Each structure stands twice: as structure tokens, then as C-alpha cells.
Amino acid sequence: MSKEINTIAVLTSGGDAPGMNACIRAVVRTALAAGKTVKGIRRGYAGLLEEDIIDMDAYAVSDIIQKGGTVLYTARCKEFTTPEGQQKGAEICRKYGIDGIVVIGGDGSFQGAGKLSALGINTIGLPGTIDNDIACTDYTIGFDTAVNTAMECVDKIRDTSTSHERCSIIEVMGRGAGYIALWCGIANGAEEILTAETFDNDIEAIVERIKTMRARGKKHYIILNAESVGHSDEMAKVIQAETGMETRATVLGHIQRGGSPTARDRVYASEFGAKAVDLLLQGKTNRVIGYRNGEFVDYDIAEALKMTKSLDPWMLDLNKRLGR
Ligand code: ADP
Ligand code: F6P
């Protein structure tokens, strides 16, 4: 029988995402309600190795559900990718009496959680990233807020783009994944969505479509560009030179990572946090929780990391039909 869980810790790792605070709050309050002791590990695995560990009571997470970022801070930690670093991390957990850890982050953070689990520390991973690029889940904490933030920015750019009858290229985040670009593209009625997964680098085809649509009377041309596709500034120069339509590029950048989480991010983050504690209390370890086809599910970490997912071809095609 697995050892009884008395102390649960929570950490955030990798890029921050709106909703992480709601998730931390849920972990802390669910564990406290079950009569457990809770600790916060600050600055992800880096903080674990530096023993930056604090006690968390119900008050420690009051007034944070509405806040972006993460009150536990986050970091990327090279040392923890080594077997020595992982061994040290597990020993520190034992020193602080930590029986289980909830890791909120992305695939890299789950790899770390898997290593800790193999060393006898119970771990549960929760998907937290604006990129929505975690294969075992349809939804990641922070994605909804990031899309809404980017959508509002694109709306504003569209106002000025239309007034000046310009083409606007707007670069959104997502690392190698085009989920933010795809969702904003549809939400903003963009004429083009360029993602690393689907763009064939055929700028000439875009130039031709712009010329055709200009001739039809279109006053603006919005191109949503996922950050991994290529240089938006360079693309703008080529498009302007070849179409004669003034073209501007805007890189939205880290504005997409901040801000107060949407209701969706707060609610799902709260559910994820509570479910992670429930799993730990059931004696489960080495699991990642996802939300798929309308329900919460959990997978072995290695199994989750092997999964793949791709942009919905129907949504991509939809945009071609609606945006042009
Ligand atoms: P994300 O969790 O968003 O994918 P990273 O890839 O930066 O972000 O990973 C976050 C942290 O997780 C890393 O800085 C590192 O400390 C830890 N990590 C990543 N990969 C591994 C690995 N293979 N083994 C152990 N820890 C890892
Ligand atoms: O993973 C979240 C993310 O914002 C990606 O979309 C982006 O590529 C990356 O992190 C930026 O990382 P940093 O904040 O280290 O510049």
C-alpha cells in the first residue's frame, strides 16, 4: 500500500500563464480542506533545488484568483534536467516531508515530474501554458485568456488598418504551435492564418489573393502569423513591394501572457487543482490530468508525453471560407 499523503506541495514551472494562481489556490484550499499540510515551492524546480519552500495556509492564496502570472514565481532550471539535480530534488522533498507535488506547467515540467516520481515522490502534472500545445488535453490553463487578449489587440489593429486601407501582419505567440493564431484568426475574421504546421511559405499566393481582394474592394487585409512561421517585418516588406498595399507588422509578444484570467481559465484551473489533490489522496502518482472531449481524464506521464495532437483541419478550412 502506498504511503499516506500528509504534506502536498505545489509549484509552477516553464512559462507563466493566466489562471495559474487560480490553480494554486485550488490545490492549497482542497488539500487544507482534507486536513493536509501544504507547501509552496517558489520558482519551479530551481526553487526546489534552492529550498525556496514556504508554508501555505488558506490566507496565502486569498485575493489571487483574479490575478495573472503566478504568485509562486516560475523559472526554467537546467540543473534539474540532470540525474544529480533530480536526486537532490527528491532528497529535498524528503527533508521537508513533502509526500506529493502538483506541478503546473508544460511538457518539460511534466518530464521533471516523471523523474521525481521515479525517485519516490508522488507527482501530478497539470497543463499550464498559453500555447495549448500539450497533446493529452484539449485545453491548457491560460490559453483562453491569451486568445482573448490577442483578439482584443487585433480588433484595435483592424480599426487603424481599415482606416488606412492597409495590410496588417500580426504575430502571436505559441512557440511551435498555431493554436493562438488559429483561434484569433477565426475570432478576428482574419483573411489569412499562417501556422508552422500548415504554411507552405507561398507568399506569392498571398500576394495574389491580396490583389484579387483589393480589386473586389476590400479595405484591409489581416494576416495572423504564428511566431514560429517567420519574420513578420520581412514578410510585410515583400507584401508591400509586390501588392502596392501599405503593410505593417505588429508582434504582440508578452502582453499575451499577462492579465486577469477569463472565467473559463479560472474555473478550469480550479477544477484541475482540486482534481490533482484528489488523485494524490487516492495514492496516484506520475499522472497528468487533461480535459478531453468534455471530461477530465488522467494519464501516465510517459504515455501523455508520447501523445500528439494537431490543429483541427476543419477550423483551418473554415477560416478560408469565412475570411476571404
Ligand atoms: P514547459 O514546462 O512549459 O514545457 P520547459 O520546457 O522550459 O517549460 O520546462 C520547464 C522546466 O522543466 C525546465 O526548466 C526543467 O527544469 C524541467 N525539465 C524540462 N525537461 C526536463 C527533463 N527532460 N527532465 C527533467 N526536468 C526537465
Ligand atoms: O510557452 C509560452 C511562451 O509564451 C511561448 O508562446 C513563447 O514562444 C515563449 O513562451 C516565450 O518565452 P520567454 O518568455 O522565455 O521569452
Side-chain angles (χ1 to χ4, degrees), residues 153-287:
C153 293
V154 177
D155 281 346
K156 291 183 168 78
I157 292 169
R158 181 198 270 260
D159 288 346
T160 168
S161 195
T162 305
S163 305
H164 287 263
E165 300 181 53
R166 282 175 176 160
C167 170
S168 290
I169 302 179
I170 300 131
E171 188 172 314
V172 293
M173 277 187 165
R175 211 183 289 262
Y179 293 94
I180 299 178
L182 176 59
W183 274 70
C184 276
I186 292 177
N188 291 106
E191 278 70 25
E192 304 274 349
I193 301 173
L194 312 184
T195 70
E197 297 94 321
T198 56
F199 185 47
D200 55 6
N201 271 313
D202 192 354
I203 297 202
E204 282 314 308
I206 297 175
V207 165
E208 286 313 309
R209 283 196 287 273
I210 292 175
K211 286 181 183 165
T212 308
M213 291 205 199
R214 283 286 271 181
R216 268 202 253 142
K218 254 216 197 252
K219 297 289 185 224
H220 60 255
Y221 202 89
I222 304 286
I223 302 176
L224 249 296
N225 191 26
E227 69 171 330
S228 43
V229 169
H231 286 278
S232 298
D233 272 325
E234 294 307 313
M235 219 181 269
K237 280 185 200 141
V238 174
I239 289 175
Q240 178 162 311
E242 296 198 16
T243 62
M245 188 175 193
E246 267 194 316
T247 303
R248 297 283 188 271
T250 307
V251 178
L252 294 186
H254 286 82
I255 196 165
Q256 295 158 95
R257 282 247 295 270
S260 181
T262 59
R264 185 165 197 237
D265 273 329
R266 295 181 201 195
V267 171
Y268 282 73
S270 300
E271 292 188 90
F272 271 125
K275 284 186 185 292
V277 172
D278 290 346
L279 285 188
L280 283 173
L281 297 183
Q282 287 162 22
K284 301 243 177 90
T285 181
N286 199 37
R287 311 293 291 173

Side-chain angles (χ1 to χ4, degrees), residues 48-50 79 83-93 119:
L48 174 63
L49 297 187
E50 288 162 21
E79 190 187 348
E84 298 74 30
Q86 292 149 16
Q87 191 69 48
K88 184 175 163 192
E91 278 159 22
I92 291 168
C93 287
L119 293 168

